[in-house]
Amino acid sequence: MAGWESLRVDLRRLQDEAPGALVMWPSPEPERRPEKRFRIDLAAWATDIAGRLHATYGGLVELRVGAMSFPDRQLAVSEYALELHGEPAESAGLVVEVLSPLTIRTGHYAKQDVLVTNRAPHRQVLLTGGDLYSAVTDSSGKVVGRYVGAHNAPRIEFPIEPHQSRAVPALIGTASLVPDLGYALPPGQWSLVVSLTIAAGHHLSDPLELTITP
């Protein structure tokens, strides 16, 4: 089994040759104890890379692909991520609509603008970390995918005046939360539920159409 000196070379190579594949990884710069086990998180699309790392380094690396451990597909997210939390957005006078068809590649994540309308007679302020969280759901409404990476942006507010609309970025992720579906949600038609946080609490949009492409 290869060791740290070989792994640090592979990590540098992956940074150059496969941008976005590495989500969390040990810095290849410092010296490391040879017996140390290293955790490496990879994007949900990077199963081939995870397979090569596992074959080369075995127990030296603890791998996670998307929301699951690799290669045994054990969920590595909290129970909270598996559920939708909030009241219907319409109960707060908020409505979310698409500005253009929502499309994203399997295993990837992206920010896409949605249109949020405030139908209440008072000003409302969306509280965000720069974008709106969302969850991908199946035809039964079950949460099947999310963005699972880091999200450390500062608080950004989006005020919306009464009976006005504004475009707000939504963060869409396709890391699978259902082991039987694989590490990334497969291509097809899904639904997206957008979470809106205001001072009064959390609210959820009606499902929006989402297309996941190969």
Side-chain angles (χ1 to χ4, degrees):
M1 182 180 69
W4 169 244
E5 290 304 318
S6 175
L7 177 59
R8 71 198 304 188
V9 172
D10 279 342
L11 291 173
R12 291 191 185 104
R13 178 180 53 78
L14 286 171
Q15 288 176 276
D16 294 333
E17 297 179 2
L22 294 171
V23 176
M24 187 180 80
W25 64 98
S27 169
E29 302 310 320
E31 298 295 329
R32 307 278 185 174
R33 298 196 312 272
E35 72 277 9
K36 182 176 175 63
R37 193 169 190 227
F38 302 103
R39 175 176 166 179
I40 301 174
D41 291 4
L42 297 122
W45 57 264
T47 51
D48 287 348
I49 293 171
R52 292 196 295 271
L53 291 172
H54 178 69
T56 303
Y57 298 101
L60 181 68
V61 292
E62 177 186 348
L63 299 174
R64 187 170 104 171
V65 176
M68 289 177 267
S69 59
F70 186 94
D72 55 349
R73 292 193 194 179
Q74 296 297 308
L75 277 174
V77 296
S78 69
E79 292 290 329
Y80 189 88
L82 304 179
E83 303 289 341
L84 295 171
H85 304 274
E87 300 298 321
E90 288 190 357
S91 67
L94 295 168
V95 177
V96 181
E97 300 170 287
V98 298
L99 281 167
S100 58
L102 299 176
T103 303
I104 188 170
R105 290 176 61 196
T106 179
H108 292 253
Y109 70 91
K111 295 183 182 183
Q112 298 186 33
D113 284 351
V114 294
L115 187 69
V116 184
T117 300
N118 176 19
R119 294 181 177 172
H122 55 274
R123 186 176 189 255
Q124 304 216 64
V125 179
L126 303 180
L127 309 176
T128 79
D131 42 57
L132 303 171
Y133 289 115
S134 68
V136 181
T137 60
D138 63 13
S139 58
S140 70
K142 176 184 176 181
V143 175
V144 294
R146 285 186 185 271
Y147 170 78
V148 295
H151 196 271
N152 299 319
R155 172 164 153 165
I156 297 176
E157 298 181 351
F158 291 89
I160 309 177
E161 300 300 326
H163 310 295
Q164 298 295 314
S165 303
R166 71 176 298 173
V168 183
L171 180 61
I172 305 171
T174 59
S176 169
L177 302 179
V178 181
D180 287 346
L181 293 176
Y183 289 95
L185 293 177
Q189 297 300 127
W190 302 87
S191 296
L192 187 77
V193 176
V194 178
S195 177
L196 306 173
T197 300
I198 57 177
H202 302 293
H203 295 79
L204 301 170
S205 75
D206 288 341
L208 307 173
E209 291 185 2
L210 173 68
T211 300
I212 297 179
T213 62

